[in-house]
Amino acid sequence: MIIGSVRCELLIYDVHSLKEKRSVLKSLQTRLKQRFNLAVAETNFQDVWQRAELSIVTVSNQKVICERELERALKFIDIESEAERTLTTYEWL
């Protein structure tokens, strides 16, 4: 069993409060979970309103499948979200 995870930092430019940030992140998390069947959580910068860190995790019996799913999720974030992805870190177990 392979567990693949990716942490990505996001910059959210068009928000002016934590409430607006939460709305953007909640929408993004829900769409990622529904479309790709991944576990997604905000893992850092909870009190900063223009910055966030999302951790995305998937499990499979092959590393290639995990990589493909995580890459699809990151591509979705880059295209569909209101946030800019900056630093991205992969981990494998």
Side-chain angles (χ1 to χ4, degrees), residues 6-19:
V6 65
R7 287 185 328 208
C8 55
E9 288 187 21
L10 303 172
L11 295 177
I12 310 167
Y13 296 112
D14 293 333
V15 296
H16 304 289
S17 68
L18 286 174
K19 187 174 182 179

Side-chain angles (χ1 to χ4, degrees), residues 48-64:
V48 181
W49 52 273
Q50 286 189 321
R51 191 172 177 196
E53 180 182 85
L54 287 183
S55 293
I56 305 168
V57 179
T58 187
V59 177
S60 179
N61 58 351
Q62 296 178 358
K63 185 177 179 182
V64 174

Side-chain angles (χ1 to χ4, degrees), residues 65-79:
I65 295 172
C66 285
E67 287 176 339
R68 183 175 54 225
E69 289 301 310
L70 292 173
E71 285 298 322
R72 287 175 58 205
L74 292 175
K75 185 176 179 181
F76 179 81
I77 291 171
D78 291 341
I79 293 172

